[in-house]
């Protein structure tokens, strides 16, 4: 079977399963890109088109489209733990739709056979933004959220893993929503102590409402900057260690 014939059959099967046209087109483009990189035939890489379409039939609709049957879950993590938890939850079929105003990951998962997702985080501040987008977009990465100087990218694991990119028996949604690393817990503790102290002074009349607001804002900003710098320093140290190895 030729590549065009394979994708024609795959497209027809996905369309019959009710997958949105936009999602079908994007998935086909990502899979074609994967084949171009590997140089393999589609049937050899993904298996028969009908069977592969059945695995991909649980694809979530494009962001913004209604989907009452899908699961929805919102969670957060600190900058030391976010990538690890994104890997864990992406493997369970959770797709990040975006980040809310509090920096929480807003996720969705299609019922039945879900699609596994892979994620990466990049610094996209200033001039880096255009360069990073130009490098990652051709590889199928899609910007799905921004926080501080970081951009979060996603792509279906099927683009690199083929049929193994489907999650046939996804586990139940976690009850937890906060995933902190030891560093994150330490920063949160310091933040609570400082804010608690400011609140105590406010209640006893030591500072006014404006002073309390300024204190909380400064504490939050300094905590965010400090956490970001710690995480960046940790990442650089790991890169140097890997380079020596």
């Amino acid at each position: 079977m030729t590549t065009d014939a394979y994708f024609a059959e795959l497209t027809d099967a996905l369309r019959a399963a009710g997958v949105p046209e936009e999602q079908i087109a994007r998935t086909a483009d990502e899979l074609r890109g994967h084949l171009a990189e590997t140089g393999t035939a589609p049937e050899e890489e993904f298996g028969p088109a009908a069977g592969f379409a059945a695995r991909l039939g649980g694809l979530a609709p494009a962001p913004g489209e209604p989907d009452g049957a899908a699961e929805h879950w919102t969670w957060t993590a600190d900058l030391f733990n976010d990538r690890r938890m994104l890997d864990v939850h992406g493997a369970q079929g959770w797709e990040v739709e975006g980040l809310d105003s509090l920096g929480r990951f807003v996720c969705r998962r299609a019922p039945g056979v879900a699609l596994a997702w892979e994620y990466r985080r990049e610094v996209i501040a200033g001039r880096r933004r255009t360069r990073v987008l130009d490098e990652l977009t051709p590889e199928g990465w899609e910007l799905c959220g921004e926080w501080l100087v970081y951009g979060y990218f996603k792509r279906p694991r099927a683009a690199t893993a083929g049929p193994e990119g489907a999650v046939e028996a996804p586990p139940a949604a976690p009850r937890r929503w906060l995933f902190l690393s030891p560093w994150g817990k330490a920063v949160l503790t310091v933040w609570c102590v400082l804010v608690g102290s400011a609140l105590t002074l406010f209640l006893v009349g030591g500072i006014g409402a404006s002073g309390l607001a300024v204190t909380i804002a400064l504490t939050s900003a300094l905590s965010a900057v400090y956490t970001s710098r710690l995480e960046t320093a940790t990442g650089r140290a790991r890169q140097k260690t890997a380079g020596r190895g």
Side-chain angles (χ1 to χ4, degrees):
M1 180 183 293
T2 66
T3 299
D4 289 341
Y6 183 92
F7 277 96
E9 182 178 344
L10 180 67
T11 298
D12 289 342
L14 290 175
R15 186 177 293 117
V19 178
E21 291 293 332
E22 179 184 351
Q23 193 82 354
I24 293 174
R26 186 174 65 179
T27 300
D29 289 342
E30 291 168 349
L31 295 176
R32 285 181 182 274
H34 172 67
L35 292 176
E37 293 179 2
T38 61
T40 55
E43 194 159 10
E44 176 185 352
E45 184 74 10
F46 306 127
F52 188 38
R55 293 187 178 92
L56 296 179
L59 283 169
E65 294 185 2
D67 183 17
E71 296 179 88
H72 297 272
W73 177 49
T74 299
W75 61 278
T76 191
D78 59 81
L79 289 172
F80 300 99
N81 209 27
D82 56 355
R83 286 177 291 188
R84 185 177 73 86
M85 299 314 303
L86 283 168
D87 288 340
V88 171
H89 299 144
Q92 297 175 359
W94 291 104
E95 177 190 2
V96 173
E97 295 183 283
L99 272 70
D100 64 14
S101 59
L102 299 178
R104 299 178 301 177
F105 296 100
V106 180
C107 301
R108 172 177 57 189
R109 184 170 66 182
V113 180
L115 187 68
W117 292 84
E118 54 186 355
Y119 297 94
R120 64 186 294 167
R121 192 190 73 199
E122 300 287 342
V123 175
I124 59 171
R127 298 178 180 178
R128 283 181 54 88
R129 184 185 186 89
T130 300
R131 179 167 63 84
V132 171
L133 290 175
D134 289 344
E135 291 176 355
L136 297 185
T137 300
E139 298 178 3
W141 292 102
E142 175 187 351
L143 182 65
C144 60
E146 299 181 39
W147 184 249
L148 298 177
V149 298
Y150 297 107
Y152 293 89
F153 295 81
K154 66 181 179 182
R155 71 178 177 184
R157 188 166 292 177
T160 55
E164 296 179 0
V167 185
E168 297 187 4
R175 294 183 178 180
R176 294 175 57 191
W177 63 270
L178 180 62
F179 300 88
L180 294 178
S181 67
W183 273 112
K185 292 177 181 178
V187 172
L188 180 61
T189 299
V190 172
W191 184 90
C192 290
V193 169
L194 292 176
V195 172
S197 299
L199 181 60
T200 300
L201 288 174
F202 169 71
L203 292 176
V204 299
I207 59 175
S210 60
L212 176 63
V214 170
T215 301
I216 294 176
L218 285 176
T219 302
S220 300
L222 290 174
S223 297
V225 172
Y226 181 64
T227 302
S228 178
R229 287 183 177 179
L230 277 178
E231 195 279 340
T232 302
T234 302
R236 289 175 179 172
R238 288 174 180 170
Q239 290 180 352
K240 289 181 181 179
T241 303
R244 293 187 189 127

